[in-house]
Amino acid sequence: MKIFTAEQIRNCDQYTIKNEPVSSVHLMERAAEACVEWISENCNHHRNFVVFCGSGNNGGDGFAIARMLYQKGFDIDIFSNTKAKFSSDAQENFKHIKEISGITVREFKEAFSYRFDSRTVIIDAIFGTGLSRNLEGDMKDLVEFLNLRKNIKISIDLPSGLLADGISDSDTVFMADYTLSFQFWKKSFLHPETGKFAGKVQVLDINLSEDYIEETETKDFVIDDEIIKNIFKIRNEFSHKGTYGKATIVGGSYGKMGAAVLSTRAALKAGAGLTFTLAPKCGYEILQTSDPEAMFIEGGENYIEQFKVDETSVCGIGPGLGTQKGTAENLLKFLKNYSKPLILDADALNIISHDSQNINLIPAKSIITPHPKEFERLFGKTENSFERTELAKNKSRELQIYTVLKGHHTQIITPEGQVFYNITGNSGLAKGGSGDILTGIITSLLAQQYTEQEAAILGVWFHGRAAEFAAEKHSRESMLPSDVINEFGNVFSELNGKLQKLL
């Protein structure tokens, strides 16, 4: 799914109005209907809705939503600035509201004395994407007051005070539990500094022009089912182990063999034809017992000091590797003489970060998978995650590599400057070992002849989807990285089932 800027979304609205054709007020009606359908289905235990409507088109959405909810039998109160100059579509919907005797419209200032009982839902339709400045004055006071309420809060299209495309210096934004976004994800939903205000995002299809969406270019995407279906390959019944390549996990050190075990098991379960583990001798019995399907290559006594990698194998380096002097020196020596794309994670990245010149040793088209601190050690500190993404785009372009920038919405950044945001996964992945699994998955997919971009995108999505299955079974708190690996089969079954329906 493409991510558009606020300006591109407005242009999409106008293109739809002109070319469908449909009037702007009827398009607003369509958006309101989609919201009401979601609200009716998900908030049916609540009877009272308090709708805050601004003077622009977001307020017009709010008036239309309030009218439709009232017609469905819900109790509705509206707060607005009745003396404001409304947009033409907002004025039209405000006029409809005034014709309904059962709905009371109050001034914003009256909200401070309103009784919000426990079953009242607050709907924010004050500004949406129409805001390009920080909240101030009475509106700032109102949003701060509403944020203190314990009620369920729903924002329409965008929480008031939030910018669609980036970060502002405002400390006042409506804190939504749910945001009902029209047609598209906004970039601000996907970054930690701003996404926290949106709560759970629901993207509602309001049938904006497919022609505009297809023809309009962007470099930002959300990884959705369509992207995954275009990447994933169903296995050929006449294939054999040689068809699915060789994956080599290079990792482990005394006391950190678990990381190598998890990464190896993930590579095996993700489908590589042959899987090898290059590890120190101290991990031999652990690895052969834990992952008997993988073959062991000895790389040292307690730490890896010999990087002996089959040139026909895809290599993932880093899980539990350690940063001992011998390991560091020999890894850098290995990279100086290695030119194939590989996956670099964890301690491999920490070793490279010791000298800024080392980043030039990363082979072109390689995939690096840093978490924010590892990224900072490699490329320097940034003020926020938006700046970090821009720096990652610059470095990916400069080095011609793929960066998997791990986080709540992990980003895959290509050498061409494209950014793919992942929306699978959950906070249960916030445990040691989760990144080791991801390294194993991506290494395995690259061995199976997926391109570097495909392996990174599918690998990150797959990792998150398996975590969703694991959380359903074990909870986010109790799920372990090994539980995530055990759900790989369910993810593959789901993928195969979806694709076979299309055949």
Side-chain angles (χ1 to χ4, degrees), residues 305-407:
E305 294 183 327
Q306 300 170 43
F307 290 81
K308 302 174 290 187
V309 176
D310 184 339
E311 288 190 0
T312 64
S313 181
V314 172
C315 194
I317 308 177
L321 184 68
T323 57
Q324 287 71 26
K325 183 179 178 182
T327 302
E329 289 176 351
N330 284 288
L331 172 61
L332 296 175
K333 187 182 298 183
F334 166 78
L335 290 175
K336 286 176 183 176
N337 298 293
Y338 193 85
S339 59
K340 286 180 60 180
L342 42 69
I343 295 87
L344 294 167
D345 180 35
D347 283 334
L349 297 177
N350 291 329
I351 289 170
I352 290 170
S353 70
H354 287 164
D355 185 332
S356 61
Q357 294 302 310
N358 290 338
I359 62 172
N360 296 309
L361 299 177
I362 301 173
K365 293 189 175 182
S366 290
I367 302 168
I368 64 171
T369 62
H371 58 56
K373 272 296 178 186
E374 289 166 346
F375 182 85
E376 183 181 315
R377 293 184 200 115
L378 281 168
F379 301 120
K381 191 175 179 61
T382 53
E383 289 299 316
N384 55 64
S385 67
F386 289 91
E387 288 187 8
R388 186 164 61 235
T389 299
E390 288 304 310
L391 179 57
K393 287 166 67 174
N394 292 337
K395 292 301 181 180
S396 292
R397 187 181 297 112
E398 175 189 324
L399 299 170
Q400 287 296 293
I401 60 173
Y402 295 84
T403 301
V404 174
L405 193 52
K406 293 186 285 198

Side-chain angles (χ1 to χ4, degrees), residues 1 9 13 27-44 49-51 57-59 61-62 64-66 68-69 121-129 152-160 162 164 174-186 188-189 195 197-206 208:
M1 177 187 289
I9 293 170
D13 287 344
L27 184 59
M28 184 176 286
E29 195 82 354
R30 190 189 295 175
E33 286 172 354
C35 291
V36 169
E37 182 179 350
W38 187 92
I39 292 168
S40 300
E41 186 176 328
N42 292 276
C43 300
N44 54 10
F49 289 84
V50 181
V51 188
N57 282 351
N58 194 236
D61 293 329
I65 289 166
M68 294 178 194
L69 286 172
V121 175
I122 297 172
I123 296 180
D124 158 39
I126 303 174
F127 288 112
T129 58
I152 290 176
K153 302 180 187 70
I154 300 173
S155 283
I156 304 304
D157 205 28
L158 190 73
S160 290
L162 188 65
F174 186 84
M175 182 70 78
D177 296 297
Y178 300 92
T179 295
L180 308 184
S181 181
F182 300 138
Q183 203 74 46
F184 308 104
W185 282 79
K186 278 76 170 174
S188 59
F189 296 161
F197 296 106
K200 294 181 180 178
V201 176
Q202 305 292 324
V203 178
L204 305 180
D205 186 353
I206 60 170
L208 294 181

Side-chain angles (χ1 to χ4, degrees), residues 108-135:
F108 281 138
K109 63 183 179 182
E110 296 180 62
F112 295 94
S113 58
Y114 182 85
R115 182 178 177 273
F116 293 88
D117 66 37
S118 60
R119 297 184 69 189
T120 297
V121 175
I122 297 172
I123 296 180
D124 158 39
I126 303 174
F127 288 112
T129 58
L131 189 71
S132 58
R133 54 182 170 76
N134 294 340
L135 294 181

Side-chain angles (χ1 to χ4, degrees), residues 58-266:
N58 194 236
D61 293 329
F63 288 131
I65 289 166
R67 167 171 46 86
M68 294 178 194
L69 286 172
Y70 178 79
Q71 290 166 347
K72 283 183 172 289
F74 295 100
D75 296 327
I76 303 296
D77 286 300
I78 295 175
F79 290 90
S80 186
N81 179 2
T82 60
K83 298 178 180 62
K85 179 176 174 55
F86 291 107
S87 70
S88 58
D89 291 341
Q91 180 65 46
E92 179 74 14
N93 277 297
F94 180 54
K95 184 178 79 172
H96 292 321
I97 284 292
K98 289 195 294 183
E99 294 168 355
I100 301 174
S101 60
I103 298 179
T104 302
V105 181
R106 298 178 171 88
E107 297 297 323
F108 281 138
K109 63 183 179 182
E110 296 180 62
F112 295 94
S113 58
Y114 182 85
R115 182 178 177 273
F116 293 88
D117 66 37
S118 60
R119 297 184 69 189
T120 297
V121 175
I122 297 172
I123 296 180
D124 158 39
I126 303 174
F127 288 112
T129 58
L131 189 71
S132 58
R133 54 182 170 76
N134 294 340
L135 294 181
E136 54 189 24
D138 292 342
M139 298 315 300
K140 182 176 186 292
D141 293 341
L142 176 62
V143 168
E144 288 177 346
F145 170 77
L146 293 176
N147 283 345
L148 294 174
R149 303 306 100 198
K150 301 297 183 183
N151 306 75
I152 290 176
K153 302 180 187 70
I154 300 173
S155 283
I156 304 304
D157 205 28
L158 190 73
S160 290
L162 188 65
L163 303 181
D165 304 329
I167 194 168
S168 73
D169 57 1
S170 174
D171 57 356
T172 302
V173 177
F174 186 84
M175 182 70 78
D177 296 297
Y178 300 92
T179 295
L180 308 184
S181 181
F182 300 138
Q183 203 74 46
F184 308 104
W185 282 79
K186 278 76 170 174
K187 189 182 290 189
S188 59
F189 296 161
L190 297 159
H191 285 259
E193 300 91 346
T194 48
K196 63 185 179 182
F197 296 106
K200 294 181 180 178
V201 176
Q202 305 292 324
V203 178
L204 305 180
D205 186 353
I206 60 170
N207 297 314
L208 294 181
S209 171
E210 291 183 7
D211 289 340
Y212 178 92
I213 294 169
E214 185 175 338
E215 293 168 7
T216 302
E217 293 188 2
T218 179
K219 289 198 170 184
D220 296 318
F221 304 84
V222 164
I223 303 170
D224 60 5
D225 286 351
E226 194 62 31
I227 289 176
I228 294 302
K229 283 189 290 187
N230 288 332
I231 292 175
F232 181 66
K233 305 168 188 173
I234 293 178
R235 287 204 162 201
N236 186 331
E237 293 297 337
F238 290 92
S239 58
H240 52 83
K241 65 185 179 183
T243 308
Y244 300 108
K246 299 177 183 177
T248 300
I249 300 299
V250 181
S253 56
Y254 185 81
K256 295 181 180 178
M257 290 311 304
V261 168
L262 289 169
S263 194
T264 299
R265 190 175 303 163

